[in-house]
Amino acid sequence: GAIALAKSPSLARLARLELLNNGIGPAGVAAIASSPYLANLECLDLRGNGVGDREAEPLETRFGKRVLL
């Protein structure tokens, strides 16, 4: 799932990632937030995944307004 995706070097040039309503849990959210391969994202859309405040903080710190929750 999201953990495997976050570990993929193939994402290094990705500008937009939409993972709406995919049931991504806290471990998947943490993997996405810390992935070295998602540095070039212009938009990360995780709406509908029930991301809580605790999981949202690292995403918002890293991606700022580029993340949609």
Side-chain angles (χ1 to χ4, degrees), residues 19-59:
L19 297 170
L20 289 85
N21 303 308
N22 276 281
I24 299 171
V29 172
I32 290 170
S34 64
S35 174
Y37 305 113
L38 297 175
N40 292 320
L41 281 184
E42 295 172 9
C43 181
L44 172 60
D45 194 341
L46 296 175
R47 291 177 290 178
N49 285 291
V51 176
D53 291 341
R54 178 176 281 169
E55 293 85 18
E57 187 176 339
L59 289 169

PDB file of all heavy atoms in Angstrom, residues 19-59:
ATOM      1  N   LEU A  19      -4.412  10.225  -3.564  1.00  0.00           N
ATOM      2  CA  LEU A  19      -4.725   8.954  -2.900  1.00  0.00           C
ATOM      3  C   LEU A  19      -6.011   9.103  -2.087  1.00  0.00           C
ATOM      4  O   LEU A  19      -6.086   8.718  -0.929  1.00  0.00           O
ATOM      5  CB  LEU A  19      -3.558   8.531  -2.001  1.00  0.00           C
ATOM      6  CG  LEU A  19      -2.241   8.261  -2.716  1.00  0.00           C
ATOM      7  CD1 LEU A  19      -1.109   8.082  -1.718  1.00  0.00           C
ATOM      8  CD2 LEU A  19      -2.364   7.028  -3.600  1.00  0.00           C
ATOM      9  N   LEU A  20      -7.026   9.655  -2.698  1.00  0.00           N
ATOM     10  CA  LEU A  20      -8.292   9.895  -2.027  1.00  0.00           C
ATOM     11  C   LEU A  20      -8.979   8.585  -1.642  1.00  0.00           C
ATOM     12  O   LEU A  20      -8.991   7.634  -2.423  1.00  0.00           O
ATOM     13  CB  LEU A  20      -9.236  10.682  -2.954  1.00  0.00           C
ATOM     14  CG  LEU A  20      -8.875  12.135  -3.214  1.00  0.00           C
ATOM     15  CD1 LEU A  20      -7.898  12.255  -4.339  1.00  0.00           C
ATOM     16  CD2 LEU A  20     -10.120  12.906  -3.507  1.00  0.00           C
ATOM     17  N   ASN A  21      -9.557   8.564  -0.438  1.00  0.00           N
ATOM     18  CA  ASN A  21     -10.392   7.442   0.013  1.00  0.00           C
ATOM     19  C   ASN A  21      -9.731   6.083  -0.155  1.00  0.00           C
ATOM     20  O   ASN A  21     -10.344   5.145  -0.651  1.00  0.00           O
ATOM     21  CB  ASN A  21     -11.734   7.471  -0.721  1.00  0.00           C
ATOM     22  CG  ASN A  21     -12.466   8.770  -0.539  1.00  0.00           C
ATOM     23  OD1 ASN A  21     -12.658   9.225   0.581  1.00  0.00           O
ATOM     24  ND2 ASN A  21     -12.852   9.403  -1.630  1.00  0.00           N
ATOM     25  N   ASN A  22      -8.483   5.970   0.261  1.00  0.00           N
ATOM     26  CA  ASN A  22      -7.753   4.716   0.119  1.00  0.00           C
ATOM     27  C   ASN A  22      -7.539   3.978   1.432  1.00  0.00           C
ATOM     28  O   ASN A  22      -6.830   2.977   1.461  1.00  0.00           O
ATOM     29  CB  ASN A  22      -6.387   4.967  -0.545  1.00  0.00           C
ATOM     30  CG  ASN A  22      -6.497   5.003  -2.041  1.00  0.00           C
ATOM     31  OD1 ASN A  22      -6.569   3.971  -2.682  1.00  0.00           O
ATOM     32  ND2 ASN A  22      -6.535   6.204  -2.602  1.00  0.00           N
ATOM     33  N   GLY A  23      -8.107   4.472   2.518  1.00  0.00           N
ATOM     34  CA  GLY A  23      -7.948   3.796   3.797  1.00  0.00           C
ATOM     35  C   GLY A  23      -6.516   3.769   4.297  1.00  0.00           C
ATOM     36  O   GLY A  23      -6.102   2.808   4.928  1.00  0.00           O
ATOM     37  N   ILE A  24      -5.773   4.818   4.029  1.00  0.00           N
ATOM     38  CA  ILE A  24      -4.376   4.882   4.452  1.00  0.00           C
ATOM     39  C   ILE A  24      -4.331   5.115   5.957  1.00  0.00           C
ATOM     40  O   ILE A  24      -4.895   6.080   6.463  1.00  0.00           O
ATOM     41  CB  ILE A  24      -3.625   5.992   3.707  1.00  0.00           C
ATOM     42  CG1 ILE A  24      -3.648   5.697   2.204  1.00  0.00           C
ATOM     43  CG2 ILE A  24      -2.191   6.120   4.209  1.00  0.00           C
ATOM     44  CD1 ILE A  24      -3.127   6.817   1.346  1.00  0.00           C
ATOM     45  N   GLY A  25      -3.658   4.238   6.655  1.00  0.00           N
ATOM     46  CA  GLY A  25      -3.554   4.321   8.105  1.00  0.00           C
ATOM     47  C   GLY A  25      -2.373   5.147   8.552  1.00  0.00           C
ATOM     48  O   GLY A  25      -1.605   5.681   7.733  1.00  0.00           O
ATOM     49  N   PRO A  26      -2.182   5.245   9.876  1.00  0.00           N
ATOM     50  CA  PRO A  26      -1.086   6.054  10.425  1.00  0.00           C
ATOM     51  C   PRO A  26       0.300   5.668   9.914  1.00  0.00           C
ATOM     52  O   PRO A  26       1.124   6.545   9.643  1.00  0.00           O
ATOM     53  CB  PRO A  26      -1.197   5.812  11.938  1.00  0.00           C
ATOM     54  CG  PRO A  26      -2.637   5.473  12.146  1.00  0.00           C
ATOM     55  CD  PRO A  26      -3.050   4.714  10.922  1.00  0.00           C
ATOM     56  N   ALA A  27       0.580   4.382   9.758  1.00  0.00           N
ATOM     57  CA  ALA A  27       1.900   3.960   9.270  1.00  0.00           C
ATOM     58  C   ALA A  27       2.120   4.405   7.825  1.00  0.00           C
ATOM     59  O   ALA A  27       3.216   4.841   7.455  1.00  0.00           O
ATOM     60  CB  ALA A  27       2.059   2.445   9.389  1.00  0.00           C
ATOM     61  N   GLY A  28       1.087   4.314   7.010  1.00  0.00           N
ATOM     62  CA  GLY A  28       1.186   4.753   5.623  1.00  0.00           C
ATOM     63  C   GLY A  28       1.372   6.255   5.510  1.00  0.00           C
ATOM     64  O   GLY A  28       2.169   6.743   4.712  1.00  0.00           O
ATOM     65  N   VAL A  29       0.637   6.994   6.342  1.00  0.00           N
ATOM     66  CA  VAL A  29       0.769   8.455   6.357  1.00  0.00           C
ATOM     67  C   VAL A  29       2.177   8.849   6.791  1.00  0.00           C
ATOM     68  O   VAL A  29       2.799   9.726   6.197  1.00  0.00           O
ATOM     69  CB  VAL A  29      -0.300   9.091   7.272  1.00  0.00           C
ATOM     70  CG1 VAL A  29      -0.044  10.576   7.456  1.00  0.00           C
ATOM     71  CG2 VAL A  29      -1.694   8.867   6.695  1.00  0.00           C
ATOM     72  N   ALA A  30       2.710   8.180   7.807  1.00  0.00           N
ATOM     73  CA  ALA A  30       4.064   8.472   8.281  1.00  0.00           C
ATOM     74  C   ALA A  30       5.100   8.173   7.196  1.00  0.00           C
ATOM     75  O   ALA A  30       6.058   8.933   7.016  1.00  0.00           O
ATOM     76  CB  ALA A  30       4.371   7.662   9.539  1.00  0.00           C
ATOM     77  N   ALA A  31       4.905   7.086   6.469  1.00  0.00           N
ATOM     78  CA  ALA A  31       5.826   6.728   5.387  1.00  0.00           C
ATOM     79  C   ALA A  31       5.811   7.777   4.285  1.00  0.00           C
ATOM     80  O   ALA A  31       6.859   8.160   3.758  1.00  0.00           O
ATOM     81  CB  ALA A  31       5.478   5.351   4.834  1.00  0.00           C
ATOM     82  N   ILE A  32       4.633   8.258   3.942  1.00  0.00           N
ATOM     83  CA  ILE A  32       4.512   9.299   2.920  1.00  0.00           C
ATOM     84  C   ILE A  32       5.185  10.582   3.404  1.00  0.00           C
ATOM     85  O   ILE A  32       5.923  11.227   2.660  1.00  0.00           O
ATOM     86  CB  ILE A  32       3.026   9.541   2.563  1.00  0.00           C
ATOM     87  CG1 ILE A  32       2.482   8.332   1.799  1.00  0.00           C
ATOM     88  CG2 ILE A  32       2.856  10.824   1.766  1.00  0.00           C
ATOM     89  CD1 ILE A  32       0.983   8.334   1.607  1.00  0.00           C
ATOM     90  N   ALA A  33       4.943  10.946   4.655  1.00  0.00           N
ATOM     91  CA  ALA A  33       5.503  12.184   5.206  1.00  0.00           C
ATOM     92  C   ALA A  33       7.030  12.166   5.222  1.00  0.00           C
ATOM     93  O   ALA A  33       7.666  13.205   5.077  1.00  0.00           O
ATOM     94  CB  ALA A  33       4.968  12.424   6.613  1.00  0.00           C
ATOM     95  N   SER A  34       7.609  10.990   5.381  1.00  0.00           N
ATOM     96  CA  SER A  34       9.070  10.921   5.494  1.00  0.00           C
ATOM     97  C   SER A  34       9.774  10.403   4.238  1.00  0.00           C
ATOM     98  O   SER A  34      10.997  10.293   4.220  1.00  0.00           O
ATOM     99  CB  SER A  34       9.447  10.028   6.674  1.00  0.00           C
ATOM    100  OG  SER A  34       9.009   8.701   6.453  1.00  0.00           O
ATOM    101  N   SER A  35       9.030  10.135   3.193  1.00  0.00           N
ATOM    102  CA  SER A  35       9.625   9.585   1.979  1.00  0.00           C
ATOM    103  C   SER A  35      10.582  10.574   1.308  1.00  0.00           C
ATOM    104  O   SER A  35      10.198  11.704   0.993  1.00  0.00           O
ATOM    105  CB  SER A  35       8.540   9.203   0.975  1.00  0.00           C
ATOM    106  OG  SER A  35       9.129   8.810  -0.253  1.00  0.00           O
ATOM    107  N   PRO A  36      11.808  10.142   1.053  1.00  0.00           N
ATOM    108  CA  PRO A  36      12.744  11.019   0.357  1.00  0.00           C
ATOM    109  C   PRO A  36      12.395  11.177  -1.121  1.00  0.00           C
ATOM    110  O   PRO A  36      12.930  12.055  -1.791  1.00  0.00           O
ATOM    111  CB  PRO A  36      14.087  10.299   0.522  1.00  0.00           C
ATOM    112  CG  PRO A  36      13.736   8.865   0.697  1.00  0.00           C
ATOM    113  CD  PRO A  36      12.411   8.857   1.417  1.00  0.00           C
ATOM    114  N   TYR A  37      11.495  10.348  -1.613  1.00  0.00           N
ATOM    115  CA  TYR A  37      11.166  10.354  -3.039  1.00  0.00           C
ATOM    116  C   TYR A  37      10.002  11.280  -3.394  1.00  0.00           C
ATOM    117  O   TYR A  37       9.646  11.390  -4.561  1.00  0.00           O
ATOM    118  CB  TYR A  37      10.855   8.934  -3.502  1.00  0.00           C
ATOM    119  CG  TYR A  37      11.974   7.985  -3.195  1.00  0.00           C
ATOM    120  CD1 TYR A  37      11.824   6.968  -2.275  1.00  0.00           C
ATOM    121  CD2 TYR A  37      13.223   8.140  -3.790  1.00  0.00           C
ATOM    122  CE1 TYR A  37      12.871   6.108  -1.967  1.00  0.00           C
ATOM    123  CE2 TYR A  37      14.274   7.302  -3.493  1.00  0.00           C
ATOM    124  CZ  TYR A  37      14.095   6.284  -2.583  1.00  0.00           C
ATOM    125  OH  TYR A  37      15.139   5.450  -2.278  1.00  0.00           O
ATOM    126  N   LEU A  38       9.417  11.932  -2.419  1.00  0.00           N
ATOM    127  CA  LEU A  38       8.265  12.793  -2.692  1.00  0.00           C
ATOM    128  C   LEU A  38       8.582  14.279  -2.543  1.00  0.00           C
ATOM    129  O   LEU A  38       7.692  15.099  -2.404  1.00  0.00           O
ATOM    130  CB  LEU A  38       7.099  12.393  -1.775  1.00  0.00           C
ATOM    131  CG  LEU A  38       6.586  10.971  -1.992  1.00  0.00           C
ATOM    132  CD1 LEU A  38       5.523  10.619  -0.967  1.00  0.00           C
ATOM    133  CD2 LEU A  38       6.045  10.796  -3.406  1.00  0.00           C
ATOM    134  N   ALA A  39       9.841  14.613  -2.607  1.00  0.00           N
ATOM    135  CA  ALA A  39      10.276  16.001  -2.411  1.00  0.00           C
ATOM    136  C   ALA A  39       9.763  16.954  -3.483  1.00  0.00           C
ATOM    137  O   ALA A  39       9.618  18.152  -3.231  1.00  0.00           O
ATOM    138  CB  ALA A  39      11.797  16.067  -2.345  1.00  0.00           C
ATOM    139  N   ASN A  40       9.478  16.453  -4.662  1.00  0.00           N
ATOM    140  CA  ASN A  40       9.059  17.328  -5.766  1.00  0.00           C
ATOM    141  C   ASN A  40       7.555  17.481  -5.901  1.00  0.00           C
ATOM    142  O   ASN A  40       7.086  18.099  -6.855  1.00  0.00           O
ATOM    143  CB  ASN A  40       9.642  16.806  -7.086  1.00  0.00           C
ATOM    144  CG  ASN A  40      11.143  16.956  -7.122  1.00  0.00           C
ATOM    145  OD1 ASN A  40      11.673  17.967  -6.675  1.00  0.00           O
ATOM    146  ND2 ASN A  40      11.829  15.954  -7.617  1.00  0.00           N
ATOM    147  N   LEU A  41       6.794  16.940  -4.963  1.00  0.00           N
ATOM    148  CA  LEU A  41       5.340  17.029  -5.065  1.00  0.00           C
ATOM    149  C   LEU A  41       4.858  18.471  -4.997  1.00  0.00           C
ATOM    150  O   LEU A  41       5.268  19.235  -4.135  1.00  0.00           O
ATOM    151  CB  LEU A  41       4.663  16.246  -3.932  1.00  0.00           C
ATOM    152  CG  LEU A  41       4.567  14.751  -4.080  1.00  0.00           C
ATOM    153  CD1 LEU A  41       3.773  14.168  -2.914  1.00  0.00           C
ATOM    154  CD2 LEU A  41       3.920  14.340  -5.388  1.00  0.00           C
ATOM    155  N   GLU A  42       3.980  18.810  -5.910  1.00  0.00           N
ATOM    156  CA  GLU A  42       3.317  20.102  -5.898  1.00  0.00           C
ATOM    157  C   GLU A  42       1.954  19.982  -5.238  1.00  0.00           C
ATOM    158  O   GLU A  42       1.403  20.964  -4.753  1.00  0.00           O
ATOM    159  CB  GLU A  42       3.182  20.632  -7.320  1.00  0.00           C
ATOM    160  CG  GLU A  42       4.521  20.923  -7.960  1.00  0.00           C
ATOM    161  CD  GLU A  42       4.413  21.257  -9.436  1.00  0.00           C
ATOM    162  OE1 GLU A  42       3.280  21.427  -9.934  1.00  0.00           O
ATOM    163  OE2 GLU A  42       5.461  21.341 -10.080  1.00  0.00           O
ATOM    164  N   CYS A  43       1.398  18.762  -5.239  1.00  0.00           N
ATOM    165  CA  CYS A  43       0.103  18.516  -4.610  1.00  0.00           C
ATOM    166  C   CYS A  43       0.040  17.077  -4.124  1.00  0.00           C
ATOM    167  O   CYS A  43       0.282  16.146  -4.889  1.00  0.00           O
ATOM    168  CB  CYS A  43      -1.035  18.793  -5.579  1.00  0.00           C
ATOM    169  SG  CYS A  43      -2.669  18.529  -4.839  1.00  0.00           S
ATOM    170  N   LEU A  44      -0.311  16.915  -2.863  1.00  0.00           N
ATOM    171  CA  LEU A  44      -0.531  15.601  -2.262  1.00  0.00           C
ATOM    172  C   LEU A  44      -1.952  15.600  -1.728  1.00  0.00           C
ATOM    173  O   LEU A  44      -2.274  16.338  -0.798  1.00  0.00           O
ATOM    174  CB  LEU A  44       0.468  15.348  -1.131  1.00  0.00           C
ATOM    175  CG  LEU A  44       0.232  14.102  -0.281  1.00  0.00           C
ATOM    176  CD1 LEU A  44       0.287  12.835  -1.127  1.00  0.00           C
ATOM    177  CD2 LEU A  44       1.233  14.039   0.857  1.00  0.00           C
ATOM    178  N   ASP A  45      -2.810  14.803  -2.317  1.00  0.00           N
ATOM    179  CA  ASP A  45      -4.228  14.777  -1.939  1.00  0.00           C
ATOM    180  C   ASP A  45      -4.540  13.487  -1.189  1.00  0.00           C
ATOM    181  O   ASP A  45      -4.540  12.405  -1.773  1.00  0.00           O
ATOM    182  CB  ASP A  45      -5.098  14.900  -3.189  1.00  0.00           C
ATOM    183  CG  ASP A  45      -6.537  15.227  -2.857  1.00  0.00           C
ATOM    184  OD1 ASP A  45      -6.949  15.018  -1.701  1.00  0.00           O
ATOM    185  OD2 ASP A  45      -7.251  15.688  -3.768  1.00  0.00           O
ATOM    186  N   LEU A  46      -4.777  13.615   0.106  1.00  0.00           N
ATOM    187  CA  LEU A  46      -5.093  12.469   0.955  1.00  0.00           C
ATOM    188  C   LEU A  46      -6.488  12.584   1.558  1.00  0.00           C
ATOM    189  O   LEU A  46      -6.787  11.958   2.573  1.00  0.00           O
ATOM    190  CB  LEU A  46      -4.055  12.346   2.077  1.00  0.00           C
ATOM    191  CG  LEU A  46      -2.629  12.061   1.648  1.00  0.00           C
ATOM    192  CD1 LEU A  46      -1.697  12.078   2.846  1.00  0.00           C
ATOM    193  CD2 LEU A  46      -2.546  10.720   0.939  1.00  0.00           C
ATOM    194  N   ARG A  47      -7.348  13.371   0.940  1.00  0.00           N
ATOM    195  CA  ARG A  47      -8.706  13.530   1.469  1.00  0.00           C
ATOM    196  C   ARG A  47      -9.433  12.192   1.521  1.00  0.00           C
ATOM    197  O   ARG A  47      -9.224  11.324   0.687  1.00  0.00           O
ATOM    198  CB  ARG A  47      -9.495  14.520   0.617  1.00  0.00           C
ATOM    199  CG  ARG A  47      -8.983  15.943   0.765  1.00  0.00           C
ATOM    200  CD  ARG A  47      -9.714  16.898  -0.117  1.00  0.00           C
ATOM    201  NE  ARG A  47      -9.341  16.610  -1.513  1.00  0.00           N
ATOM    202  CZ  ARG A  47      -9.841  17.242  -2.561  1.00  0.00           C
ATOM    203  NH1 ARG A  47     -10.729  18.186  -2.392  1.00  0.00           N
ATOM    204  NH2 ARG A  47      -9.445  16.928  -3.776  1.00  0.00           N
ATOM    205  N   GLY A  48     -10.262  12.053   2.550  1.00  0.00           N
ATOM    206  CA  GLY A  48     -11.073  10.853   2.687  1.00  0.00           C
ATOM    207  C   GLY A  48     -10.355   9.678   3.321  1.00  0.00           C
ATOM    208  O   GLY A  48     -10.868   8.564   3.314  1.00  0.00           O
ATOM    209  N   ASN A  49      -9.184   9.910   3.885  1.00  0.00           N
ATOM    210  CA  ASN A  49      -8.431   8.842   4.528  1.00  0.00           C
ATOM    211  C   ASN A  49      -8.500   8.912   6.052  1.00  0.00           C
ATOM    212  O   ASN A  49      -7.865   8.119   6.734  1.00  0.00           O
ATOM    213  CB  ASN A  49      -6.966   8.860   4.078  1.00  0.00           C
ATOM    214  CG  ASN A  49      -6.820   8.321   2.678  1.00  0.00           C
ATOM    215  OD1 ASN A  49      -7.015   7.142   2.442  1.00  0.00           O
ATOM    216  ND2 ASN A  49      -6.499   9.195   1.734  1.00  0.00           N
ATOM    217  N   GLY A  50      -9.242   9.855   6.580  1.00  0.00           N
ATOM    218  CA  GLY A  50      -9.385   9.970   8.022  1.00  0.00           C
ATOM    219  C   GLY A  50      -8.093  10.299   8.737  1.00  0.00           C
ATOM    220  O   GLY A  50      -7.858   9.825   9.841  1.00  0.00           O
ATOM    221  N   VAL A  51      -7.269  11.108   8.099  1.00  0.00           N
ATOM    222  CA  VAL A  51      -5.994  11.493   8.708  1.00  0.00           C
ATOM    223  C   VAL A  51      -6.282  12.383   9.916  1.00  0.00           C
ATOM    224  O   VAL A  51      -6.901  13.432   9.792  1.00  0.00           O
ATOM    225  CB  VAL A  51      -5.092  12.238   7.700  1.00  0.00           C
ATOM    226  CG1 VAL A  51      -3.817  12.717   8.359  1.00  0.00           C
ATOM    227  CG2 VAL A  51      -4.786  11.338   6.513  1.00  0.00           C
ATOM    228  N   GLY A  52      -5.839  11.940  11.086  1.00  0.00           N
ATOM    229  CA  GLY A  52      -6.046  12.698  12.318  1.00  0.00           C
ATOM    230  C   GLY A  52      -5.003  13.776  12.508  1.00  0.00           C
ATOM    231  O   GLY A  52      -4.023  13.862  11.753  1.00  0.00           O
ATOM    232  N   ASP A  53      -5.195  14.575  13.541  1.00  0.00           N
ATOM    233  CA  ASP A  53      -4.271  15.682  13.821  1.00  0.00           C
ATOM    234  C   ASP A  53      -2.841  15.208  14.012  1.00  0.00           C
ATOM    235  O   ASP A  53      -1.902  15.830  13.537  1.00  0.00           O
ATOM    236  CB  ASP A  53      -4.726  16.454  15.061  1.00  0.00           C
ATOM    237  CG  ASP A  53      -6.012  17.224  14.817  1.00  0.00           C
ATOM    238  OD1 ASP A  53      -6.364  17.460  13.647  1.00  0.00           O
ATOM    239  OD2 ASP A  53      -6.665  17.601  15.814  1.00  0.00           O
ATOM    240  N   ARG A  54      -2.679  14.098  14.727  1.00  0.00           N
ATOM    241  CA  ARG A  54      -1.330  13.586  15.004  1.00  0.00           C
ATOM    242  C   ARG A  54      -0.625  13.200  13.699  1.00  0.00           C
ATOM    243  O   ARG A  54       0.552  13.479  13.512  1.00  0.00           O
ATOM    244  CB  ARG A  54      -1.406  12.378  15.928  1.00  0.00           C
ATOM    245  CG  ARG A  54      -0.040  11.768  16.208  1.00  0.00           C
ATOM    246  CD  ARG A  54      -0.131  10.643  17.188  1.00  0.00           C
ATOM    247  NE  ARG A  54      -0.232  11.252  18.508  1.00  0.00           N
ATOM    248  CZ  ARG A  54      -0.542  10.606  19.605  1.00  0.00           C
ATOM    249  NH1 ARG A  54      -0.789   9.322  19.563  1.00  0.00           N
ATOM    250  NH2 ARG A  54      -0.598  11.219  20.762  1.00  0.00           N
ATOM    251  N   GLU A  55      -1.337  12.551  12.791  1.00  0.00           N
ATOM    252  CA  GLU A  55      -0.746  12.145  11.507  1.00  0.00           C
ATOM    253  C   GLU A  55      -0.574  13.332  10.572  1.00  0.00           C
ATOM    254  O   GLU A  55       0.318  13.350   9.737  1.00  0.00           O
ATOM    255  CB  GLU A  55      -1.609  11.084  10.822  1.00  0.00           C
ATOM    256  CG  GLU A  55      -1.666   9.765  11.538  1.00  0.00           C
ATOM    257  CD  GLU A  55      -2.736   9.721  12.626  1.00  0.00           C
ATOM    258  OE1 GLU A  55      -3.647  10.575  12.615  1.00  0.00           O
ATOM    259  OE2 GLU A  55      -2.648   8.839  13.489  1.00  0.00           O
ATOM    260  N   ALA A  56      -1.456  14.330  10.703  1.00  0.00           N
ATOM    261  CA  ALA A  56      -1.426  15.485   9.802  1.00  0.00           C
ATOM    262  C   ALA A  56      -0.214  16.379  10.039  1.00  0.00           C
ATOM    263  O   ALA A  56       0.313  16.971   9.098  1.00  0.00           O
ATOM    264  CB  ALA A  56      -2.706  16.299   9.946  1.00  0.00           C
ATOM    265  N   GLU A  57       0.235  16.463  11.276  1.00  0.00           N
ATOM    266  CA  GLU A  57       1.311  17.402  11.610  1.00  0.00           C
ATOM    267  C   GLU A  57       2.572  17.224  10.772  1.00  0.00           C
ATOM    268  O   GLU A  57       3.066  18.186  10.185  1.00  0.00           O
ATOM    269  CB  GLU A  57       1.635  17.321  13.101  1.00  0.00           C
ATOM    270  CG  GLU A  57       2.621  18.382  13.537  1.00  0.00           C
ATOM    271  CD  GLU A  57       2.857  18.365  15.033  1.00  0.00           C
ATOM    272  OE1 GLU A  57       2.014  17.850  15.789  1.00  0.00           O
ATOM    273  OE2 GLU A  57       3.905  18.871  15.440  1.00  0.00           O
ATOM    274  N   PRO A  58       3.127  15.987  10.659  1.00  0.00           N
ATOM    275  CA  PRO A  58       4.333  15.848   9.830  1.00  0.00           C
ATOM    276  C   PRO A  58       4.076  16.119   8.347  1.00  0.00           C
ATOM    277  O   PRO A  58       4.947  16.630   7.642  1.00  0.00           O
ATOM    278  CB  PRO A  58       4.791  14.409  10.054  1.00  0.00           C
ATOM    279  CG  PRO A  58       3.797  13.763  10.918  1.00  0.00           C
ATOM    280  CD  PRO A  58       2.802  14.772  11.358  1.00  0.00           C
ATOM    281  N   LEU A  59       2.878  15.808   7.886  1.00  0.00           N
ATOM    282  CA  LEU A  59       2.537  16.098   6.482  1.00  0.00           C
ATOM    283  C   LEU A  59       2.512  17.601   6.249  1.00  0.00           C
ATOM    284  O   LEU A  59       3.060  18.091   5.262  1.00  0.00           O
ATOM    285  CB  LEU A  59       1.173  15.504   6.134  1.00  0.00           C
ATOM    286  CG  LEU A  59       1.081  13.996   6.025  1.00  0.00           C
ATOM    287  CD1 LEU A  59      -0.379  13.571   5.936  1.00  0.00           C
ATOM    288  CD2 LEU A  59       1.855  13.478   4.820  1.00  0.00           C
TER     289      LEU A  59
END
